[in-house]
Amino acid sequence: MLLGVNIDHVATLRNARGGIDPDIITAARICKECDVASITTHLREDRRHIKDADVEAIRMLPRTRLNLEMAMTDEMQEIALKLRPHAVCIVPEKRQELTTEGGLDVEGQLDRAIKFVKPLLKKNIEVSFFIDPDVHQISAVSKTGAPFIELHTGRYSEAFGSGEEEKAFQDLKGAAIFAQNFGLKVNAGHGLNYHNVKRMHEIPHLVELNIGHSIIARAIFVGLEQAVKEMKALCEG
Ligand code: PXP
């Protein structure tokens, strides 16, 4: 499995003091030097961590694959069409949430989703929808033309080590296989850490894991390079 590193929390720390440290581009470069598959950033409507200038600068880095997480809004579509990141992951967004709290309801806004992805696909941007492991959401995504889903692993991550883990894990695994039968490629992420990530190898053909919080948290103690290398080794199995 490939690893995409979400570096939003580097910007969270930087913004705490309003200056330039820690520098987000240095973080992206270190991840890139560890040979990760993507640098992921979420440009939120409220710009609480990543700013427009950050994504523009990361996009300009040579040989760096930018995966832009964004809400399904006209503003974000315009930014993505201008910036042309290698990939976008369309996520739900609520102003009050601490992080992305659930998958996007694609089924409930299918016409809008189809219209939204069309110009992005035309520009050869790889589109994924961040969804819960739910067959209705998967079949909705299969109608949009998007080649990827990213499965929300939050419920599994929270349940890890408890009596709820097996059910949450089997839901993920079943959803991945169901999506692959529709011809969709499957990424996964949210809440994955150095322990619970290991079971992702039991899910066939996962392409990429997007992981942020646990890597940046570990980087405080061992440095970013070491934290990324450790996670990459776990992803590669
Ligand atoms: N994937 C998506 C779509 C996300 O919104 C996030 C959180 O920004 C992640 C993956 C990474 O989650 P975490 O920071 O918990 O590893």
Side-chain angles (χ1 to χ4, degrees):
M1 282 176 297
L2 301 170
L3 171 63
V5 180
N6 182 315
I7 56 173
D8 292 350
H9 285 343
V10 176
T12 303
L13 186 55
R14 175 197 62 191
N15 299 351
R17 285 292 170 97
I20 58 164
D21 292 321
D23 175 44
I24 193 106
I25 299 306
T26 304
R29 282 214 179 95
I30 290 169
C31 294
K32 185 58 208 148
E33 276 156 25
C34 296
D35 221 11
V36 301
S38 315
I39 305 294
T40 300
T41 57
H42 184 175
L43 187 64
R44 294 186 75 100
E45 187 195 6
D46 60 10
R47 308 302 198 264
R48 71 168 72 148
H49 36 55
I50 293 292
K51 312 283 185 198
D52 298 62
D54 297 328
V55 279
E56 284 161 20
I58 295 166
R59 178 67 183 91
M60 296 308 290
L61 288 174
R63 296 178 301 282
T64 304
R65 195 171 176 281
L66 170 63
N67 173 31
L68 179 65
E69 289 178 8
M70 59 182 213
M72 198 161 65
T73 63
D74 292 346
E75 183 201 14
M76 287 301 152
Q77 189 192 50
E78 199 179 302
I79 289 170
L81 290 174
K82 213 168 99 202
L83 198 66
R84 294 180 71 166
H86 299 80
V88 300
C89 179
I90 304 169
V91 301
E93 208 173 287
K94 293 188 216 108
R95 269 182 178 259
Q96 303 309 323
E97 68 189 356
L98 287 177
T99 179
T100 317
E101 279 166 6
L104 185 71
D105 178 15
V106 181
E107 192 191 30
Q109 44 187 339
L110 184 56
D111 289 345
R112 165 111 182 108
I114 291 170
K115 284 197 194 100
F116 191 84
V117 301
K118 217 178 220 166
L120 299 170
L121 294 171
K122 245 186 169 168
K123 294 247 184 192
N124 289 322
I125 299 170
E126 219 169 62
V127 178
S128 70
F129 282 97
F130 186 53
I131 56 170
D132 289 320
D134 176 306
V135 293
H136 303 289
Q137 297 301 338
I138 292 165
S139 51
V141 173
S142 75
K143 294 176 190 142
T144 65
F148 274 89
I149 57 168
E150 180 171 325
L151 285 175
H152 196 311
T153 51
R155 198 160 55 80
Y156 158 73
S157 298
E158 274 171 30
F160 187 72
S162 79
E164 309 291 307
E165 173 185 331
E166 200 49 37
K167 163 90 173 72
F169 176 76
Q170 291 305 333
D171 286 351
L172 272 180
K173 186 172 173 180
I177 294 167
F178 185 81
Q180 287 155 357
N181 288 337
F182 268 107
L184 291 163
K185 288 178 264 191
V186 183
N187 297 332
H190 210 282
L192 293 175
N193 61 32
Y194 294 83
H195 306 287
N196 63 27
V197 72
K198 292 171 193 155
R199 287 203 80 182
M200 294 298 106
H201 288 285
E202 296 173 42
I203 301 177
H205 311 301
L206 280 185
V207 179
E208 183 171 318
L209 301 179
N210 275 302
I211 307 180
H213 184 87
S214 61
I215 295 175
I216 304 304
R218 180 145 178 78
I220 290 173
F221 302 113
V222 301
L224 184 57
E225 182 182 340
Q226 177 72 18
V228 171
K229 281 184 175 163
E230 287 174 13
M231 188 60 89
K232 189 163 176 269
L234 291 171
C235 291
E236 289 171 352

